[in-house]
Structure formats: structure tokens, C-alpha cells
Amino acid sequence: LHCMEDTKCHEAIETWKNTAFDGSGMWKEPVAKVDSAMLAYSILKTECDPNRIRPAMDWTVKVLEENLCEDGMISYSQGKHSKIRFVDTLGMVCPFLALYGKTYQEERYVHMAYHQLEQYRLMGLYPGTQLPCHAVSTENNLPLGVFGWGRGTIWYLIALVDTYSELPEDGRKQNVQAWITASAEDYLKYQKDDGGFHTILHGGGQYDSSVTAGMAFFYRKAAQILQKEEYTAVANKCIARLLKV
């Protein structure tokens, strides 16, 4: 958000918004997929007058609700009857839902965001670790895919730190902070000596720039949230590795 303090960046963002929205604040080309909530989050986060774009934000919430399943979890644009829950969806929808609920005073959506995180932790983490599975089947509560897949883990971490920023000061925020703490401590052992992270965090695969960049983002945010400067050092090691490739 430092870009909003720069006049040229602010003007560029506003120019783009004028191409995306019509005069009523609605999408010129209405979005139809769950992952569009990431874009909506960025837009709402940088908007000085949230009511100006509320029609587009409401539409995005409608898309999410069309994929809201009976267990209160949002499917990956697979409709209300999907039996699969992907960890990716957490990073796509939770920050937006929490910010939307906070901005427009719609508590239901703040709770919906928190519920996604709470439920996935219950059904999708490998016991004794903070490693999420790529997906879980609700038919038998069994994992689908691999635990500790780096890019899936990054979706989970984005959900934690960005949702945390939007939650009210209550027990939910305290719980998310505890989950951030547990994750930050658990993942330290997976960073390689050169600063990078691999495709599969706990072993296997090869160096992965996407995972390393995601970890830099997470540890920089974790350092701010938890006031632990050693996490900044972890992030800086990630960035140094990225610059070498």
C-alpha cells in the first residue's frame, strides 16, 4: 500500500479502475470465478471511497456465495455441491471476505473468512505439523494430493497474514496470530542454506522461485505482526536467493 503514497502510482491505479468499472461502480466485464476475489481485495484495499465501487464488490461476494457449500466452505469455482476443498481457495477468498465484512459492516463475511481457515486447519494439516494438504475430500475426510506442496502452502500463508490484517480485535484475531506464529516457527527448518525453498517444503522437488518469493512475503509480514526481527532476516535470505536467479 506504500504505492498509494506515491502520486504517479496512485494515478496509475485510478486510471486502471476507470477501465474496470462503469459509472455505477460495477464491473464492465463481470467476474465469474472465485479467484477474482484476489483482485477485488487489492481494489478495495486501495479504494478511498468504498461505496463508489460497492456494486462490483457485492457482485464478487455473490460469485463466492454461488460456490458456498453446506459445510460453510467455498469451493474452487466448482459450485455449491463440490466435495473437494482446495487450500488455494483460502488465499483467494479469505482476505477479501474479511475486508469486505469490515468495510461494509457485514459481520457474516468476516466470520465466513475465519471459518475457512479454522476448518481447513482441522481437516487439512498433517498431524503434528503446519503442512497443509493440497486438497481434502469431504466425502471421506481424506487428503487429496501431497502435504507440504510449497505453492499450496503459500496460498495458506497468504490467507493467514492478509486475513489477520482485516480481523477485529477479538479471539479470532488472536487465534490467527497463533497460527501465524506456529507456521513461522515450523517452516524455518525448511529453508535451505542458500535462502531458497523447494517445491515440496519438507523434502523432494527442486528449488522453486514462486515458493521462495511467497515465503519472503510471509516472513516479512510475520516479522511485522509478531514483532520478531529474525523473521525479517529469513525474508532477506529469500530475496537474496531470488536475486541470484
Side-chain angles (χ1 to χ4, degrees):
L1 292 181
H2 294 299
C3 65
M4 299 304 291
E5 300 170 5
D6 182 280
T7 300
K8 289 185 178 179
C9 288
H10 180 76
E11 290 176 350
I13 291 170
E14 289 304 306
T15 297
W16 180 86
K17 286 180 180 178
N18 289 335
T19 67
F21 303 124
D22 62 22
S24 70
M26 180 58 175
W27 299 107
K28 288 183 178 179
E29 296 183 19
V31 299
K33 298 291 185 180
V34 159
D35 54 11
S36 63
M38 286 194 75
L39 175 61
Y41 176 70
S42 298
I43 292 169
L44 187 55
K45 192 74 174 173
T46 57
E47 179 56 51
C48 298
D49 181 11
N51 288 324
R52 178 174 74 112
I53 57 169
R54 181 152 191 183
M57 300 300 101
D58 289 349
W59 178 275
T60 305
V61 166
K62 178 184 175 184
V63 170
L64 300 186
E65 289 185 322
E66 288 172 350
N67 291 276
L68 182 63
C69 303
E70 61 182 13
D71 62 352
M73 297 288 284
I74 295 170
S75 75
Y76 189 24
S77 292
Q78 297 163 316
K80 294 184 176 183
H81 304 296
S82 173
K83 301 298 183 182
I84 302 175
R85 306 289 177 263
F86 286 96
V87 70
D88 313 48
T89 311
L90 302 179
M92 295 174 183
V93 308
C94 293
F96 170 70
L97 285 169
L99 178 60
Y100 177 93
K102 178 177 75 172
T103 301
Y104 300 115
Q105 299 183 331
E106 297 277 1
E107 163 61 25
R108 176 192 172 202
Y109 298 105
V110 177
H111 179 72
M112 190 182 294
Y114 177 78
H115 179 73
Q116 310 298 306
L117 297 172
E118 184 178 47
Q119 283 298 108
Y120 209 91
R121 283 186 59 82
L122 288 174
M123 64 185 184
L125 295 190
Y126 191 81
T129 78
Q130 299 299 313
L131 296 172
C133 188
H134 185 199
V136 177
S137 168
T138 60
E139 289 186 303
N140 51 30
N141 293 322
L142 291 176
L144 300 170
V146 64
F147 285 96
W149 177 52
R151 298 185 188 192
T153 302
I154 295 305
W155 283 117
Y156 169 66
L157 297 180
I158 288 172
L160 287 184
V161 294
D162 280 352
T163 304
Y164 173 88
S165 300
E166 313 306 340
L167 290 174
E169 298 292 337
D170 58 22
R172 294 172 296 186
K173 188 162 191 169
Q174 294 172 8
N175 287 341
V176 175
Q177 181 172 325
W179 301 339
I180 293 170
T181 299
S183 297
E185 285 299 304
D186 196 47
Y187 297 140
L188 288 174
K189 60 181 174 285
Y190 303 133
Q191 187 174 36
K192 305 303 178 183
D193 291 341
D194 62 8
F197 285 84
H198 280 208
T199 305
I200 306 299
L201 290 180
H202 51 291
Q206 59 186 0
Y207 166 75
D208 191 311
S209 289
S210 295
V211 179
T212 302
M215 283 296 184
F217 171 77
F218 169 69
Y219 275 104
R220 185 65 61 85
K221 295 280 284 187
Q224 298 168 356
I225 292 168
L226 304 174
Q227 296 295 297
K228 295 193 70 170
E229 193 57 34
E230 54 263 47
Y231 292 156
T232 300
V234 175
N236 289 341
K237 284 185 67 176
C238 291
I239 294 169
R241 179 68 174 106
L242 289 165
L243 292 175
K244 290 179 181 178
V245 292

